[in-house]
Amino acid sequence: RLSDGRLLFKEQHSGHLGLLDERGNVVSYLPGSVRRASRSRHRIVVVYTADGAGSTDEEGNPLIPALYKDMRVVGDDRMAVCREGQWELWNVKGKSVTPQTYDSIGCYLNDRFAIVRQDKDYWLMNREGKLMGMPHTHVAEAPADRGLLPQVFTIGKGKDTKNVPATAARTPHK
């Protein structure tokens, strides 16, 4: 599937991974240590080696070393990085955006708000890592990384939901 104008491919004879452009020309080869990779998202590729998950740009240049349990691109310049079973929000250069850890971090909706979960509570988190409004107890999300457009429905736990933008929960991912 074409993503960001790129198609992830694997050479049959060597097992080497790389990216093709829309015309089928090789754009880049990923480092030889890469055994598996995600499709390009926001011009970033999550790669998996024997040592763990990391990221590269589309030319195969390392951004975050492949040392972590798991990793996802969750926004234009935001990554969710799993260390010791907890997810952290990082920028694409490998710097932590917020010191808090969560049980899960979803993709940013319209690159504005992500859904994070800690224990049984769900929150909307802005791009700076700040939690917005009150926690929510029920969230339904169609994962954007599977090519679906997320539709989020929230039910407020308390009466104070005035800080949660109404459009954040109803706007599909771009």
Side-chain angles (χ1 to χ4, degrees):
R1 175 176 158 186
L2 212 57
S3 177
D4 282 347
R6 303 290 186 252
L7 180 67
L8 182 67
F9 76 95
K10 182 176 187 175
E11 289 182 339
Q12 294 294 347
H13 65 283
S14 69
H16 208 116
L17 296 168
L19 297 170
L20 301 173
D21 65 16
E22 293 172 341
R23 295 182 179 180
N25 299 314
V26 174
V27 174
S28 66
Y29 283 99
L30 298 175
S33 60
V34 174
R35 301 291 174 243
R36 186 170 57 97
S38 71
R39 61 188 172 97
S40 174
R41 185 152 189 251
H42 296 285
R43 306 280 183 215
I44 300 166
V45 179
V46 174
V47 296
Y48 299 88
T49 69
D51 297 323
S55 65
T56 70
D57 62 19
E58 288 185 326
E59 287 74 43
N61 300 311
L63 297 173
I64 299 174
L67 302 172
Y68 303 96
K69 182 176 179 182
D70 203 358
M71 187 174 294
R72 286 193 313 272
V73 178
V74 294
D76 187 31
D77 62 349
R78 296 289 184 257
M79 307 288 295
V81 177
C82 185
R83 294 195 308 176
E84 300 175 15
Q86 290 286 295
W87 291 86
E88 300 174 23
L89 183 65
W90 288 16
N91 66 25
V92 295
K93 296 178 181 178
K95 303 274 187 216
S96 179
V97 173
T98 180
Q100 294 91 349
T101 61
Y102 303 95
D103 293 335
S104 68
I105 298 177
C107 293
Y108 277 86
L109 307 175
N110 278 348
D111 219 25
R112 292 183 55 212
F113 297 96
I115 296 173
V116 298
R117 180 176 59 83
Q118 187 61 41
D119 299 319
K120 294 181 180 181
D121 288 328
Y122 293 82
W123 299 83
L124 291 176
M125 181 172 57
N126 70 13
R127 294 183 44 73
E128 289 74 39
K130 182 180 176 192
L131 299 179
M132 308 298 290
M134 298 291 290
H136 302 280
T137 54
H138 299 84
V139 176
E141 180 181 14
D145 59 347
R146 291 195 176 91
L148 305 173
L149 295 177
Q151 298 294 320
V152 180
F153 305 91
T154 59
I155 300 171
K157 188 174 183 180
K159 292 183 179 180
D160 180 20
T161 56
K162 65 184 176 194
N163 295 329
V164 180
T167 57
R170 289 184 270 129
T171 309
H173 180 62
K174 59 180 172 178

